[in-house]
Amino acid sequence: MSEPILQLNDVKTHFPITRGFLVKRHIGTVKAVDGVNLTVRRGEVLGLVGESGCGKSTLARTILQLVPTTGGTVVLNGRNLATSSARELLAARRDLQMVFQDPYASLNPRMTVFATLAEPLLVHRVCAPADVAARVAELMRLVGLAPRFMQKYPHEFSGGQRQRIAIARALALEPKVIVADEPVSALDVSIQAQILNLLAQLTKKMNLTLIFIAHDLSVVKHISDRVAVMYLGKIVELGLAADVIERPRHPYTRALVSAIPTPNPDTERTRQRIVLAGDPPSPINPPAGCAFHPRCAYAQAQCKLAAPPLVDDGPTREVACVRLADLP
Amino acid sequence: MRARAIRDSANGLTRASTPAPLKPTAVPLLNVQDLRTHFHTRNGIYRAVDGVSFSVERGETLGIVGESGSGKSVTCYSIMGLIPQPPGRIVSGTALFDGIDLLNCSPRQARSIRGKRVSMIFQDPMTSLNPFLRVSEQIIEPLLIHENISRPDALERALTMLEAVGINDAAKRIHYYPHEFSGGMRQRVMIAMALITKPELLIADEPTTALDVTVQAQILELIGKMQRELGMAVIFITHDLGVVSGLCDRVQVMYAGRIVETADTRTLFKTPRHPYTRALQRSIPALQSKGAELYTIPGLPPDVSKNIPGCAFAPRCEFATDLCTAANPELVAIDATHAQACLRVQANETLACS
């Protein structure tokens, strides 16, 4: 197994809620990410799934230090980003880049493709100004765009092509880790397949580590080596992608997997579905103990007492449920 | 029931010039013929819907799938009279709902049907509810317009409806504003509003696309339950083949403003015939083995502002020949429930995937 490249230890990202205009009073805290431990190995594709509001995007932003960490450490290549200075962070981002969900919003509409792709090269001085054009052309070819479109603006491209530009921008510095936050959710299925193939091919070719966030489990299963399932700021299950999605252990993962409609009319009509009641609880005031217990079919009194830690369940799986042994 | 659906869809396909003298019971609830909705803009004419014919039986669930821009929403907006005119223009077509042509009848007659006997739910419940009005006002509005009913009675009905769509504590929450509900709850409010007049046809335009999967499962369950209770027909627009497979009796696939294939759900998933339908299925990860390279449809969806000669899918199709761009394909029935619009399939050629 390859060496760990990114380690998250008890990462917490909390946002204060304040009220008042001149005198700000602190009236609560949104615990968007609340104690995440995760080790990502070099060359691995880690899928991160969960419902909206579970903190997966905040976790992505925390890894890149786009939001300040409240507690814990984010260690990339032996350096703790959570306590790094701005200068150190700038250097660290050569190894750590992000692809955002909406390629319509994440590209500057007033910058040409050339300007967009040249910017990281010039900021980080990885390339002599004279060589920038050649490098930009190379990047465009890498993601399947013709270099002759270099002087075009984002609005002249389709959604899938824009996402290719965003991927090229993330690859410009040859990072070791890419965090992709729902990179295919805004795309049509035929375009989604192109981007998924591209990401799979690039991670293999460049030995990239990819943290892939999505809510579509079939997409995550397809591309990931391992999957982490988040619920209300915590990881509740972690394991090999096919295992977690085909044989989920945690009650929440079971419900999540069973909620997904499958494109097979025969099984889809007969299969037993676990329909969760209600909405995810508010991260401002999460339920005591296991955050999932109000919606859980297996919850008992002990579930309300303490938040269960992630414990090993076999060699490749970790599950955060105190009743794991009693589950069918 | 099923046999009737089969016969009528076959009738729709052959485009009989004279309407067959069918018994009243055999008339489909909605029969759309040769619908063309074009948008006249400064940059040309966008043929968003270009010759679409289909019918919906009473109590049936019809799925319309296609990528963005394929015209699936515009088809339904045209039926509902929601196309802004200008720039939109319904160039041709009829939409017979229970014998009344919704596209060519008097506005008064159309109003008496739309919102009462046909209603619609939209993708984004946040933008389709009025943020300034309490949901009670919005839910009873169709009742006050379409039925001779007093406000207290209407509120009573609204309350029952909210409970039926699974909103706890409905008596209190009926007086809330939309922002006080979560996304899934808002979609329930939308459904309550659409169903309060007990419509015979519900058009659902991607009602779960903006929702989380667990909430999506709740909403799909709810639509199915309400359909069984009210016996209404549903047109379900979506791009998610998974949603279609569990919910719909029949599916039609749209591409560039035309229907390329229509079949009962099982047939469409088991033996798709049109190259576009097949390509779609080969490109979704859920139907492929893990890690396998996904099939990608080369190129981009066509620009519908240009006149597309022949088959609109031909430039992206791995089986296209010169014939495909020369002749205009029509939907031709393969058997009683299955029709598709690929010339090479119609010529009985075997198209083996690469």
Side-chain angles (χ1 to χ4, degrees):
Chain A
M1 218 184 231
S2 51
E3 77 278 20
I5 186 159
L6 180 70
Q7 278 175 304
L8 309 182
N9 297 314
D10 198 28
V11 170
K12 290 188 173 126
T13 310
H14 297 175
F15 298 102
I17 312 167
T18 55
R19 187 169 283 171
F21 177 58
L22 288 174
V23 184
K24 296 243 193 288
R25 280 176 301 127
H26 186 89
I27 58 162
T29 309
V30 178
K31 295 178 177 168
V33 176
D34 199 26
V36 165
N37 293 298
L38 197 59
T39 303
V40 189
R41 294 180 182 280
R42 183 137 203 201
E44 175 180 52
V45 180
L46 178 85
L48 198 55
V49 297
E51 291 172 277
S52 44
C54 74
K56 51 194 197 301
S57 289
T58 305
L59 182 61
R61 280 155 203 267
T62 307
I63 293 172
L64 274 106
Q65 294 294 304
L66 299 176
V67 289
T69 328
T70 311
T73 56
V74 179
V75 181
L76 175 76
N77 269 343
R79 177 190 281 152
N80 181 7
L81 302 183
T83 53
S84 293
S85 66
R87 184 182 291 267
E88 284 169 330
L89 269 183
L90 182 70
R93 289 209 181 101
R94 272 186 72 163
D95 289 335
L96 185 61
Q97 286 287 317
M98 184 149 178
V99 177
F100 295 90
Q101 172 172 2
D102 185 355
Y104 293 80
S106 66
L107 295 173
N108 187 336
R110 302 179 68 165
M111 283 165 80
T112 59
V113 179
F114 175 79
T116 301
L117 297 183
E119 191 175 35
L121 301 175
L122 295 172
V123 167
H124 288 273
R125 303 196 183 144
V126 291
C127 196
D131 303 335
V132 166
R135 175 70 181 139
V136 168
E138 190 189 333
L139 283 168
M140 288 183 75
R141 273 192 294 271
L142 189 65
V143 296
L145 289 171
R148 66 192 149 92
F149 296 140
M150 210 181 266
Q151 293 304 330
K152 289 200 175 202
Y153 286 90
H155 74 266
E156 297 174 85
F157 293 93
S158 69
Q161 288 171 323
R162 280 181 229 204
Q163 200 57 291
R164 287 173 192 268
I165 300 170
I167 292 171
R169 178 176 61 181
L171 291 173
L173 298 170
E174 297 183 339
K176 297 190 177 70
V177 181
I178 286 189
V179 180
D181 187 3
E182 307 245 12
V184 296
S185 309
L187 306 174
D188 268 317
V189 278
S190 68
I191 309 299
Q192 172 179 307
Q194 296 175 4
I195 299 296
L196 286 176
N197 281 348
L198 175 69
L199 282 172
Q201 178 201 331
L202 288 172
T203 45
K204 209 167 284 168
K205 190 159 129 192
M206 303 172 71
N207 196 22
L208 274 175
T209 307
L210 179 66
I211 298 178
F212 185 93
I213 301 177
H215 60 261
D216 186 337
L217 288 187
S218 64
V219 168
V220 170
K221 178 184 155 196
H222 183 81
I223 197 168
S224 313
D225 300 317
R226 284 195 305 155
V227 171
V229 183
M230 277 186 85
Y231 188 75
L232 226 63
K234 290 189 169 70
I235 291 178
V236 295
E237 182 157 2
L238 177 68
L240 297 177
D243 278 356
V244 170
I245 289 163
E246 278 157 22
R247 290 174 295 280
R249 296 280 289 148
H250 193 280
Y252 174 64
T253 320
R254 293 175 191 215
L256 192 66
V257 168
S258 100
I260 294 158
T262 52
N264 180 343
D266 289 335
T267 57
E268 182 61 20
R269 273 151 215 252
T270 51
R271 82 193 165 96
Q272 204 62 43
R273 209 179 290 169
I274 312 166
V275 176
L276 285 180
D279 293 308
S282 150
I284 300 173
N285 191 11
C290 171
F292 185 59
H293 83 256
R295 301 169 85 190
C296 180
Y298 308 101
Q300 281 184 336
Q302 53 175 334
C303 298
K304 298 173 191 165
L305 299 177
L310 267 182
V311 290
D312 285 348
D313 176 37
T316 56
R317 184 90 66 109
E318 291 173 65
V319 183
C321 179
V322 286
R323 298 211 54 215
L324 193 60
D326 315 329
L327 295 181
Chain B
M1 182 72 215
R2 160 97 34 200
R4 217 165 64 210
I6 292 165
R7 197 166 62 233
D8 283 335
S9 63
N11 276 343
L13 298 169
T14 50
R15 294 193 189 161
S17 51
T18 50
L22 297 167
K23 279 179 284 176
T25 50
V27 175
L29 181 63
L30 176 73
N31 188 2
V32 177
Q33 287 298 324
D34 196 36
L35 176 68
R36 284 170 208 271
T37 307
H38 296 176
F39 289 87
H40 294 252
T41 70
R42 212 173 280 181
N43 299 324
I45 303 170
Y46 285 80
R47 296 167 182 85
V49 175
D50 206 22
V52 162
S53 304
F54 64 95
S55 61
V56 184
E57 281 295 314
R58 284 179 196 278
E60 180 189 42
T61 310
L62 172 72
I64 303 183
V65 295
E67 296 181 84
S68 35
S70 61
K72 52 195 195 305
S73 292
V74 175
T75 302
C76 293
Y77 278 46
S78 305
I79 297 166
M80 288 301 282
L82 295 174
I83 298 291
Q85 306 190 35
R89 192 182 294 166
I90 294 171
V91 181
S92 78
T94 56
L96 287 177
F97 178 81
D98 205 13
I100 301 158
D101 185 355
L102 288 175
L103 301 179
N104 301 300
C105 64
S106 71
R108 172 189 284 266
Q109 208 169 17
R111 279 201 303 271
S112 73
I113 293 173
R114 290 173 181 147
K116 174 159 173 60
R117 298 176 67 193
V118 188
S119 55
M120 184 154 181
I121 49 180
F122 300 88
Q123 173 172 355
D124 185 354
M126 193 62 217
T127 51
S128 39
L129 288 169
N130 185 335
F132 290 107
L133 292 179
R134 293 175 196 279
V135 297
S136 53
E137 291 298 318
Q138 305 188 47
I139 297 174
I140 65 170
E141 195 181 357
L143 276 183
L144 296 179
I145 292 171
H146 292 290
E147 286 179 30
N148 193 4
I149 191 170
S150 72
R151 258 188 81 89
D153 289 350
L155 279 171
E156 194 60 39
R157 284 258 301 269
L159 197 58
T160 326
M161 201 67 222
L162 273 187
E163 279 163 3
V165 298
I167 292 189
N168 304 325
D169 207 4
K172 189 171 126 209
R173 289 179 135 191
I174 192 169
H175 300 295
Y176 281 12
Y177 287 93
H179 73 265
E180 294 174 276
F181 291 88
S182 68
M185 285 294 154
R186 266 182 228 136
Q187 198 58 285
R188 286 171 194 265
V189 170
M190 283 284 298
I191 292 172
M193 192 166 39
L195 299 188
I196 195 154
T197 56
K198 299 199 165 54
E200 291 150 68
L201 174 65
L202 174 72
I203 300 175
D205 184 6
E206 307 230 11
T208 59
T209 307
L211 306 174
D212 271 316
V213 280
T214 54
V215 182
Q216 166 172 294
Q218 296 170 1
I219 297 293
L220 293 179
E221 195 111 310
L222 173 65
I223 292 176
K225 177 184 141 225
M226 299 312 287
Q227 183 178 21
R228 283 191 296 277
E229 278 172 19
L230 300 175
M232 63 185 176
V234 176
I235 297 179
F236 203 96
I237 303 174
T238 181
H239 63 260
D240 188 336
L241 291 174
V243 171
V244 165
S245 74
L247 198 72
C248 301
D249 302 319
R250 214 148 50 79
V251 188
Q252 59 195 32
V253 182
M254 287 190 71
Y255 188 78
R258 298 170 196 168
I259 297 173
V260 295
E261 183 156 14
T262 168
D264 69 273
T265 309
R266 187 156 301 175
T267 312
L268 191 93
F269 280 90
K270 285 270 157 65
T271 49
R273 299 297 299 275
H274 195 280
Y276 177 63
T277 318
R278 289 165 63 187
L280 267 190
Q281 294 196 2
R282 286 162 69 203
S283 65
I284 53 176
L287 290 175
Q288 307 304 321
S289 57
K290 177 177 157 48
E293 188 160 340
L294 300 170
Y295 178 74
T296 55
I297 304 175
L300 297 171
D303 180 357
V304 289
S305 69
K306 309 250 163 47
N307 197 18
I308 304 164
C311 172
F313 187 58
R316 304 174 76 190
C317 180
E318 56 179 322
F319 308 116
T321 61
D322 292 346
L323 181 71
C324 295
T325 47
N328 242 340
E330 295 278 329
L331 264 183
V332 171
I334 295 169
D335 56 44
T337 57
H338 195 172
Q340 64 84 43
C342 173
L343 292 169
R344 293 196 66 190
V345 173
Q346 288 165 8
N348 267 331
E349 289 179 63
T350 328
L351 306 178
C353 294
S354 53

